[in-house]
Amino acid sequence: MSESLPPFILQLPFLRILFMGRPSVAIFAILSGYVNALKPIKQTRAGHIDYALTGVAKSAFRRTGRFMIPAVLATTLSWLVCQFGGYGLAQNVESAWIRDTSPLPSTSFAGAFYDLFNNLITTWTNGGNEYDRIQWTLCYLLRGSMLVYLTVVATAYVQSRYRMLIYGVLYIYYWKMGDPVIGINIYAGILLAELTFDPDVQSHIADHPHIYSFLSTALIFLGAFTLSYPEENPEWARWSTGLLHLGYHMFPEGAEFARYYPALGSQILIFGVFFNPTAKRLLSSSALCWFGKMSFAVYLLHAPLIRSLLTWMLYGASSQPPSPGKDDDGNELPPDWIPLTSRWLLFLTLPLFYFLLYRLAHLWTAYVDPWCARATNWVEERVFRDDSRLEKSVLLA
């Protein structure tokens, strides 16, 4: 697509969502706020505040281990692929994204281990990871989880209606501060968890099904349209130009619209689902729950597999274009990138690639994730104090 040419069908609103990454990050952040706040909010509403605070303390520890250990393993696997030349072809293909995200092998044996250690650290300090650049989101998502636990602890003794007011104030704060990746999404998720257990809201939805059915449909449509906002050149299409002009009035000065719109659209979409019992039942189907269970493994595995397996499937049979020769000064010109021989090959290869990706994700979920959970539990058993022993000493005192 360009300014003078019509868009491809997959660049149109709604359809383009299937191939956009930023809405996925926003939805994951919203669901992180929702899931992490759900149980402690339920306990505080029931008056079991001590249980809620104990659960938050343990959840914060477990969340860190179950987030970091799988990411460390995925980075190490990508590092091994890189060092043994698995990304060699990817550095020469015509796809700019594949080239730009494919690291070169280290120059020495010791340097390879230094590079691995450095990237394992920077993943959690500034989001930098040369071996798997999409892991930049993990440090922000982990911070978001800690933000949930901090908010739950700070508002544990606050009445529910005032807690929701606090969430709204914090949402506005992060909106104005310019944090569309984590802040506003986390508090949208926490508010959703609070509304889940609010009897007045639930009874109002049950008493007015037709109103909420219409509202839900409108919100889902509006949310999907909003999060379709393109990352680049929104002025090239009339529908995104309208959103561009609207954004100047809605978002803070200097805001990155391509971050705000996916976040706002994801929130509207999820609240639309929340108000629709039918949509919630559909999204709770066994098939979609299975895909949801695979999501973290797919997130960790898909980029290294794209740069290695998929690249070889698409470009492995292509030949390197001939050398373009020399420039006027006699210097060798850089070779042209390896092209895709046929776009039909892409359509034929993608189903097989996705099958292999989800097969590997299933194996990861079945074997690697439980091992990471056991490792986290092993550390927890050794660093947490024994509550039963503590209670016994208190009784004997």
Side-chain angles (χ1 to χ4, degrees), residues 137-190:
T137 62
L138 293 182
C139 67
Y140 296 98
L141 292 170
L142 183 58
R143 292 177 196 173
S145 299
M146 297 303 126
L147 190 61
V148 175
Y149 299 135
L150 177 62
T151 304
V152 169
V153 170
T155 60
Y157 289 93
V158 178
Q159 297 179 50
S160 58
R161 62 178 179 272
Y162 294 113
R163 278 205 304 264
M164 288 188 277
L165 177 61
I166 292 172
Y167 304 152
V169 171
L170 290 170
Y171 181 96
I172 295 171
Y173 168 77
Y174 281 100
W175 178 284
K176 298 295 289 184
M177 192 182 75
D179 184 8
V181 177
I182 295 299
I184 62 174
N185 291 318
I186 287 294
Y187 283 104
I190 299 175

Side-chain angles (χ1 to χ4, degrees), residues 353-366:
F353 171 75
Y354 274 106
F355 170 79
L356 295 173
L357 171 62
Y358 273 90
R359 179 57 182 165
L360 290 173
H362 175 72
L363 294 174
W364 181 283
T365 305

